[in-house]
Amino acid sequence: MSENKIESVLREDRVFEPPRSFVEQATFKPDDIQALYDAANSDHEGFWADQAQKHIDWHKPFTQTLDSTDAPFFKWFTDGQLNVSYNCLDRHLDTRGDQTAIIFEADDGEVEHISYRELHARVCRFANALKANGLGKGDRAVIYLPNVPQATIAMLACARIGAIHSVVFGGFSAPSLRDRIDDAEAKMLITADGNYRGGKLIPLKDVADKALSQGCESIDKVIVLKRSGTDVSMQSGRDLWWHDAIDGQAETCEPEWVDAEHPLFILYTSGSTGKPKGIQHSSGGYLLGAIVTCRWVFDLRDDDVFWCTADVGWITGHTYITYGPTACGATQVMFEGVPTYPEPDRFWKMVDTHQVTIFYTAPTAIRALMKHGDEYPQRHALDSLRILGTVGEPINPEAWMWYRQVIGHERCPIVDTWWQTETGGHMITPLPSYSKTKPGSVTHPLPGISAEILDESGKPVTEAGSGGVLVVTKPWPYMLRTIWNDPERYKETYFGMYDAHTYVAGDSAQRDEQGNFRILGRIDDVVNISGHRLGTMEVESALVAHTSVAEAAVVSRPHDVKGEAIVAFVILKTGDGNDELASDLRNWVAEQLGAIAKPEEIRFADGLPKTRSGKIMRRLLRTVARGDEVTQDVSTLENPQILEQLQARGS
Ligand code: PRX
């Protein structure tokens, strides 16, 4: 961001009060929410201490709430001890052992109901199997599984024995998987033979084998879930089947009591430079965030059927599938497939079948389904729904209105939740009985969260409609603790811009006259494809690793379904580009990084626009990629003629 202010052109005046019918049956009434705000505003630490006592079963109670002595390495509830899986499972057994915890619907439509008692037994058996195979407290296990209950079971089993999991999304390629295993120095890999998504086979074990053959020296054991039934190779002494691993294991397993700050998991996310960052979360603080945000934002209660459509491979699946709903003792739907298979009404059909009351998805899915037309949702009653949520990227007002009218029948509040892998849980979002909502607006920070918008000198931006850097000015319990193996990068990336108490989210934002926040986009070189973050650097590195590429620059342009799409400017070592090479390069990137990183367009050029100091002018490339008129100052360009060439080639 080089302008001092980011001006927004969008004006949105439609405002919706919480529907009265909703407020009447909500657990958290407007007064309850106001009381939370008042308490948090009068005593930030005391507020969080109260919440932690109320919502978590501590094995050993904490006496210190927040330790800021080594800021920005904050510690919460540091002398307390707990076990996260105990909080998600054991504490429900007396009161709701027979209640359904997970309604799982497979890609092919098969449905399985798993009660809390059964989930507890399955987690314990798998935890015993992990121990029997050499995994212990503090060891890392990489989980590379489809979105099936066993993924949640594996995560909770790690938590039970104090092992640290790192889930890698099943769509990631072999090199991406290998890099994550190597960075975490994982001892164990938990994967599956394969699975079907949208009717297509995803050969997970083959990809894992490729990753393992290229590095991953730290891996001792690979546990393989039989899911697709396809033939896979099993290396003797290293690979074993899940069903064999749990055979004969007991259905109880004493939880390992860990300190509140013990790492619960690492989850890798893209940054603007270098390799992906291993975001490290804590046990106590993270769990608290998962619980309170489910309670406040989703008003989650016993008779709800909650459905978060994310994959457990992303933070949304961690917090709003594996940990939040189970810690609250809720019933939730988990889905292996895709929204358009076998038909574009799959989501809506499932809402009716399972009588879903709270539905949480991403703008990219909403836009894709909206394109298929209203007839698909209209085939279904959708009358069980009471709250709709979105996450992952800014939602355009048109999609927001469609969600409200066609899916929510104007009866359901929409919670547009802003947060990040790093924040661990919701940060800025409407509260359903309390907030006036507005299309495209994430409204206001949660109780106990101090968000601000600053200009580059660190002064608050007070003028309505003016943009600035989104920051959080006080630590919160569920924030990331560090970057795995790289505390310096943690300090620099998140606290380097202002001071050690001001968390920089990497997004820009603005406020309207009423103080509502709107997220404008990233301030670094990160693109958001279908709600998933990708560093442009990673795509560039993949491109230059191809034998014919000399240099590459990657930017994004708006895309009506994916949110943003990647445009890559490529300089070849020799010769001119052609369609065949462009298609090879697109596939090459998908192989290196995974299908989500596949560029939408490749543009060949003789050079890239650079400043005299040799920096690629990405803002200029962005303008060119979008086909907009270049109004930037190009007088500092080293090679102005390149600009004409780039524009001519795109038209
Ligand atoms: O740019 C913001 C965008 O997604 C980024 C976080 O991505 P990730 O860590 O992959 O987590 C996604 C799921 C929490 C943010 O920095 N983002 C997320 N939610 C919203 C959003 N942008 C606008 N509105 C949102 N509701």
Side-chain angles (χ1 to χ4, degrees):
M1 192 186 68
S2 58
E3 298 99 325
N4 278 333
K5 283 181 194 160
I6 304 162
E7 300 297 339
S8 164
V9 288
L10 192 119
R11 264 197 77 86
E12 175 59 64
D13 294 322
R14 287 170 290 200
V15 176
F16 299 94
E17 298 276 343
R20 193 177 312 153
S21 58
F22 177 86
V23 178
E24 277 164 9
Q25 42 88 64
T27 308
F28 279 96
K29 307 282 189 219
D31 285 351
D32 303 322
I33 299 288
Q34 191 55 54
L36 290 172
Y37 276 111
D38 293 344
N41 291 339
S42 70
D43 178 5
H44 182 73
E45 276 182 50
F47 169 75
W48 282 118
D50 283 350
Q51 296 299 322
Q53 273 146 7
K54 179 169 172 210
H55 291 288
I56 291 180
D57 283 10
W58 294 94
H59 180 65
K60 175 174 167 252
F62 61 91
T63 59
Q64 188 182 8
T65 304
L66 171 64
D67 177 356
S68 302
T69 43
D70 193 19
F73 299 94
F74 300 101
K75 297 188 181 83
W76 284 89
F77 320 122
T78 168
D79 58 346
Q81 287 196 327
L82 77 163
N83 180 280
V84 171
S85 93
Y86 177 90
N87 276 273
C88 295
L89 302 167
D90 305 51
R91 67 165 164 171
H92 305 313
L93 295 181
D94 286 344
T95 49
R96 63 185 85 224
D98 296 324
Q99 180 191 313
T100 299
I102 298 177
I103 304 171
F104 171 61
E105 185 163 319
D107 191 58
D108 65 7
E110 204 177 296
V111 174
E112 180 189 5
H113 287 244
I114 303 171
S115 69
Y116 271 96
R117 200 176 313 288
E118 196 187 339
L119 188 62
H120 173 263
R122 288 173 71 175
V123 167
C124 287
R125 278 184 87 186
F126 196 63
N128 288 326
L130 294 178
K131 284 202 279 193
N133 282 285
L135 197 72
K137 183 176 174 187
D139 291 339
R140 276 79 62 206
V142 164
I143 299 177
Y144 185 62
L145 281 172
N147 203 42
V148 296
Q150 286 85 349
T152 286
I153 290 169
M155 292 161 83
L156 289 171
C158 286
R160 192 153 194 97
I161 64 170
I164 303 167
H165 62 68
S166 173
V167 184
V168 177
F169 172 59
F172 275 119
S173 62
S176 303
L177 175 61
R178 178 205 56 208
D179 290 350
R180 285 156 172 78
I181 289 174
D182 284 345
D183 189 71
E185 294 172 276
K187 240 176 143 173
M188 187 182 279
L189 173 64
I190 303 166
T191 186
D193 49 357
N195 81 311
Y196 289 91
R197 260 189 105 225
K200 277 205 323 233
L201 178 69
I202 317 277
L204 291 163
K205 179 64 163 65
D206 287 355
V207 179
D209 283 341
K210 224 193 250 174
L212 292 164
S213 70
Q214 297 165 354
C216 309
E217 254 101 66
S218 56
I219 294 284
D220 289 337
K221 289 274 189 250
V222 180
I223 299 186
V224 186
L225 173 75
K226 205 180 209 33
R227 174 90 196 125
S228 59
T230 38
D231 272 350
V232 291
S233 69
M234 298 287 280
Q235 184 175 310
S236 105
R238 186 196 67 185
D239 302 357
L240 75 163
W241 290 105
W242 177 299
H243 52 264
D244 291 333
I246 59 170
D247 192 32
Q249 295 294 350
E251 291 190 347
T252 54
C253 171
E254 182 60 18
E256 178 80 37
W257 304 108
V258 298
D259 292 344
E261 283 296 319
H262 181 71
L264 179 63
F265 65 83
I266 309 168
L267 183 61
Y268 285 85
T269 187
S270 296
S272 53
T273 53
K275 57 182 176 124
K277 299 174 286 196
I279 303 301
Q280 181 183 318
H281 278 286
S282 68
S283 296
Y286 170 81
L287 179 67
L288 180 62
I291 297 172
V292 294
T293 56
C294 278
R295 294 272 185 229
W296 300 338
V297 180
F298 296 127
D299 197 47
L300 196 56
R301 58 184 199 215
D302 286 0
D303 59 346
D304 274 315
V305 178
F306 176 76
W307 182 15
C308 164
T309 71
D311 188 287
V312 284
W314 308 109
I315 190 69
T316 309
H318 281 57
T319 309
Y320 299 107
I321 297 178
T322 297
Y323 292 111
T326 55
C328 292
T331 296
Q332 68 173 318
V333 172
M334 186 177 194
F335 177 44
E336 184 183 24
V338 299
T340 47
Y341 177 84
E343 283 203 79
D345 71 337
R346 182 71 183 264
F347 274 2
W348 319 130
K349 191 171 171 197
M350 284 179 62
V351 165
D352 273 14
T353 308
H354 305 301
Q355 290 291 289
V356 172
T357 57
I358 305 165
F359 180 73
Y360 190 35
T361 196
T364 182
I366 299 169
R367 287 191 297 266
L369 294 170
M370 185 172 127
K371 275 197 135 185
H372 285 280
D374 297 0
E375 63 167 292
Y376 292 101
Q378 280 166 1
R379 285 183 194 170
H380 306 279
L382 304 179
D383 54 0
S384 55
L385 291 170
R386 69 180 189 105
I387 298 177
L388 300 175
T390 88
V391 58
E393 56 180 308
I395 181 165
N396 46 312
E398 192 194 356
W400 195 98
M401 288 304 293
W402 184 82
Y403 202 26
R404 176 184 153 80
Q405 288 164 353
V406 181
I407 307 304
H409 299 170
E410 302 191 359
R411 178 190 70 234
C412 305
I414 296 182
V415 290
D416 178 355
T417 59
W418 176 85
W419 61 294
Q420 310 176 289
T421 305
E422 293 87 341
T423 70
H426 300 152
M427 298 292 283
I428 309 182
T429 170
L431 290 161
S433 72
Y434 178 85
S435 314
K436 293 179 182 160
T437 55
K438 204 170 162 178
S441 166
V442 293
T443 69
H444 46 75
L446 286 173
I449 301 298
S450 315
E452 273 282 1
I453 300 174
L454 303 182
D455 69 14
E456 278 173 353
S457 68
K459 280 206 253 3
V461 173
T462 47
E463 200 186 324
S466 289
V469 176
L470 179 60
V471 299
V472 186
T473 56
K474 284 184 189 155
W476 65 104
Y478 46 106
M479 67 193 294
L480 77 165
R481 294 304 193 258
T482 187
I483 294 177
W484 182 259
N485 266 339
D486 207 347
E488 275 310 308
R489 194 174 174 200
Y490 163 79
K491 252 166 116 167
E492 159 85 31
T493 308
Y494 303 111
F495 297 90
M497 199 181 228
Y498 302 107
D499 60 53
H501 289 263
T502 308
Y503 170 83
V504 177
D507 283 334
S508 57
Q510 59 162 207
R511 276 167 148 177
D512 65 14
E513 285 79 7
Q514 290 74 42
N516 291 307
F517 285 73
R518 196 160 80 84
I519 308 297
L520 300 172
R522 300 287 307 180
I523 53 174
D524 51 16
D525 289 321
V526 169
V527 294
N528 192 325
I529 312 292
S530 301
H532 303 309
R533 258 198 279 171
L534 273 175
T536 51
M537 252 288 292
E538 285 173 82
V539 184
E540 288 165 8
S541 311
L543 282 165
V544 294
H546 190 279
T547 47
S548 49
V549 176
E551 204 179 2
V554 164
V555 295
S556 70
R557 68 154 179 248
H559 184 279
D560 60 358
V561 174
K562 293 193 257 186
E564 291 182 35
I566 291 174
V567 180
F569 293 87
V570 171
I571 318 303
L572 295 174
K573 286 183 182 153
T574 51
D576 288 336
N578 54 36
D579 287 353
E580 198 185 333
L581 182 58
S583 147
D584 282 355
L585 290 176
R586 294 175 66 234
N587 291 333
W588 166 260
V589 174
E591 267 168 45
Q592 297 296 304
L593 298 171
I596 44 166
K598 193 171 180 171
E600 179 89 358
E601 191 188 339
I602 303 271
R603 288 198 195 181
F604 296 105
D606 297 335
L608 295 170
K610 291 189 182 165
T611 62
R612 284 174 209 278
S613 63
K615 275 181 92 178
I616 298 172
M617 295 185 72
R618 286 168 201 284
R619 274 197 310 125
L620 193 57
L621 287 175
R622 220 169 284 146
T623 308
V624 172
R626 288 165 192 217
D628 293 343
E629 194 189 334
V630 174
T631 54
Q632 289 108 316
D633 177 13
V634 291
S635 59
T636 54
L637 261 187
E638 168 73 29
N639 43 358
Q641 74 288 357
I642 283 296
L643 187 59
E644 281 164 37
Q645 192 191 60
L646 294 170
Q647 283 172 315
R649 296 211 174 161
S651 52

